[in-house]
Amino acid sequence: MEGIPHPVPRTVEEVFSDFRGRRAGLIKALTTDVQKFYQQCDPEKENLCLYGLPNEAWEVNLPVEEVPPELPEPALGINFARDGMAEKDWLSLVAVHSDSWLLAVAFYFGARFGFGKNERKKLFQMINDLPTIFEVVTGNVRQPMNQSGIHHNSSKSKSSGKPSRQPEINPSKGVKMSPLAKEDEESGEEEEEDDEQGATCGACGDNYGADEFWICCDVCERWFHGKCVKITPAKAEHIKQYKCPSCSSKRARV
């Protein structure tokens, strides 16, 4: 909710500038101004939202009354969870919702002003070059991905019976991601590329895509698109042993 009108961004550069300003305000609320932010999120008050403004300011306020709102709204009722969890966890939760809201606002502008495929791609790439608010707040800023656009932090190397699909991987935090990790450019041989083309998702059956997040079931050792089993990279960070929906249902019937 913004008390001062701001120019409506219409180009990719203007939308990104708007995104960057709102992001800076949100980061300020969750880091340098955290005590002030914490105090304003009184659980005794009504549903409150955290807004980032294009001028790098922030505010905690009630949601707008108009329906539908002029812009997508941030997470509602952040104040209710404040005293029910550790402060660090609460701030991380607000950060995740803030990241989602920023993307929603940016691509709302893109849809409103008719951005085409190339413009949307350019906007996302500009946004993706910045660390997320969650990464900044938690101090868990990821290193840039390698050429294939996939993190290679698998808790254990699994070939799933398919040779050459899992070259040397450096485990990190137990997150199982792409089954098709490529090494640096100099080791990208044709054999490996051919083998990657044959990998399929255990849920949808679609072939491997270099820009997609994958996760491996610890029980059946099949690989799945994260989107097919509703697992995001952030959620995978906290999973010690992943069981796919099929293995989970078998376990429940036993």
Side-chain angles (χ1 to χ4, degrees), residues 52 59 62 74 109 175 229 235:
E59 68 175 1
L62 294 169
F109 285 130
V175 181
V229 290
K235 188 181 291 186

Side-chain angles (χ1 to χ4, degrees), residues 6-10 15 22 69-72 104-116 120:
H6 298 276
V8 177
R10 295 175 181 270
V15 171
R22 294 177 190 273
E70 181 181 356
L71 292 176
V105 172
F107 282 88
Y108 163 81
F109 285 130
R112 180 178 175 184
F113 296 107
F115 285 5
R120 293 193 303 270

Side-chain angles (χ1 to χ4, degrees), residues 125-142:
Q125 288 174 335
M126 293 170 76
I127 290 173
N128 204 39
D129 283 339
L130 298 173
T132 65
I133 297 175
F134 175 79
E135 289 172 336
V136 173
V137 169
T138 60
N140 185 29
V141 179
R142 297 179 180 276

Side-chain angles (χ1 to χ4, degrees), residues 35-65:
Q35 292 306 316
K36 181 180 177 183
F37 169 65
Y38 187 89
Q39 292 170 1
Q40 291 189 21
C41 292
D42 186 349
E44 298 300 319
K45 294 183 179 179
E46 296 183 53
N47 292 312
L48 294 176
C49 302
L50 172 62
Y51 294 87
L53 308 183
N55 61 356
E56 300 188 6
W58 61 272
E59 68 175 1
V60 172
N61 215 327
L62 294 169
V64 297
E65 295 182 359

Side-chain angles (χ1 to χ4, degrees), residues 120-179:
R120 293 193 303 270
K121 183 177 181 180
K122 179 181 178 182
L123 175 60
F124 180 76
Q125 288 174 335
M126 293 170 76
I127 290 173
N128 204 39
D129 283 339
L130 298 173
T132 65
I133 297 175
F134 175 79
E135 289 172 336
V136 173
V137 169
T138 60
N140 185 29
V141 179
R142 297 179 180 276
Q143 295 299 315
M145 295 181 180
N146 72 356
Q147 64 187 22
S148 65
I150 303 172
H151 283 291
H152 304 327
N153 43 346
S154 174
S155 63
K156 56 182 179 179
S157 299
K158 291 182 181 170
S159 63
S160 298
K162 297 175 183 172
S164 303
R165 284 245 327 272
Q166 188 81 8
E168 296 287 324
I169 294 177
N170 295 324
S172 170
K173 292 193 177 179
V175 181
K176 301 172 288 298
M177 295 207 175
S178 170

